[in-house]
Amino acid sequence: MLGLARELNTCTTPREALHFLLHQAIRLAGAQRGVIVETGPEGELLFTLGVDRDGFAISRPETQVSHSIIRHVLGSGQPLRSSNLSQLDELAQARSI
């Protein structure tokens, strides 16, 4: 943890710190990629940052994730694991997951 804190302290911009933290979360979770998504004033999805498992920024992260899953998680406030996606009725109706 101390090493992570030291490395985080070397970040010189908020975006660099977000990138570092997202990459660490991806590594801990064993995920393929991670995306930071915000909602705009009209409820639109704003893709702030995307990072792959190797720590590289993803250009156009909005094309790499399921919008229906993001909307489900935002609406429910609950995390969603890939192992139970097909059991959710509202996602079963989506064109793609």
Side-chain angles (χ1 to χ4, degrees), residues 13-62:
T13 65
R15 184 163 182 89
E16 188 180 346
L18 274 177
H19 186 116
F20 173 77
L21 292 170
L22 182 55
H23 183 230
Q24 295 309 311
I26 292 165
R27 289 181 56 214
L28 285 171
Q32 294 179 0
R33 63 187 158 270
V35 177
I36 295 177
V37 181
E38 304 173 75
T39 53
E42 305 292 322
E44 70 275 19
L45 299 178
L46 305 172
F47 292 82
T48 305
L49 179 64
V51 176
D52 69 17
R53 74 169 72 177
D54 297 318
F56 295 108
I58 299 171
S59 63
R60 301 189 59 226
E62 66 276 7

Side-chain angles (χ1 to χ4, degrees), residues 9 14 24 28 30 40-41 70 77 93:
N9 282 332
Q24 295 309 311
L28 285 171
I70 291 170
Q93 305 305 317

Side-chain angles (χ1 to χ4, degrees), residues 66 69 72-73 80-92 97:
S66 166
I69 291 174
H72 173 82
V73 170
L80 192 58
R81 297 183 57 97
S82 60
S83 59
N84 64 357
L85 293 179
S86 61
Q87 298 170 1
L88 295 171
D89 292 336
E90 62 270 26
L91 293 178
I97 295 181

